[in-house]
Amino acid sequence: AIDFAVLESQLRDENVALMVLCSPHNPSGRIWRRSELDSLAELCVSLGVLVVSDEIHADWCLWGNDFVPFASLMSPEML
């Protein structure tokens, strides 16, 4: 799970402008839940952090897990 309080603090303290998201996460294959990605999108928009989503392993989701493309969460105002 993502500790959003810690992540927000780190993004603010380090004045982060760009974040690279691996989804599904490599090497563990962790598939981020839609709710986690929604929270991440809201946080990054509020802080002006650009997210680059590396989704190279999206086709390898196993056992009926659903992959959610990060860009699919964005409304036109967020892009």
Side-chain angles (χ1 to χ4, degrees), residues 2 5 8 20 25 36 45 61 72:
I2 300 171
E8 180 176 4
V20 177
H25 194 272
E36 293 170 314
V45 166
C61 296
S72 72

Side-chain angles (χ1 to χ4, degrees), residues 33-58:
R33 292 186 301 269
R34 178 179 211 84
S35 61
E36 293 170 314
L37 294 174
D38 282 335
S39 295
L40 179 63
E42 290 173 14
L43 177 60
C44 288
V45 166
S46 73
L47 297 175
V49 175
L50 178 66
V51 176
V52 175
S53 186
D54 174 358
E55 300 175 349
I56 191 80
H57 300 294

Side-chain angles (χ1 to χ4, degrees), residues 1 18 31 37-39 49 54-55 63 67 73 77-79:
L18 183 129
I31 299 171
L37 294 174
D38 282 335
S39 295
V49 175
D54 174 358
E55 300 175 349
W63 305 295
F67 170 74
L73 305 172
E77 312 76 59
M78 298 170 106
L79 297 174

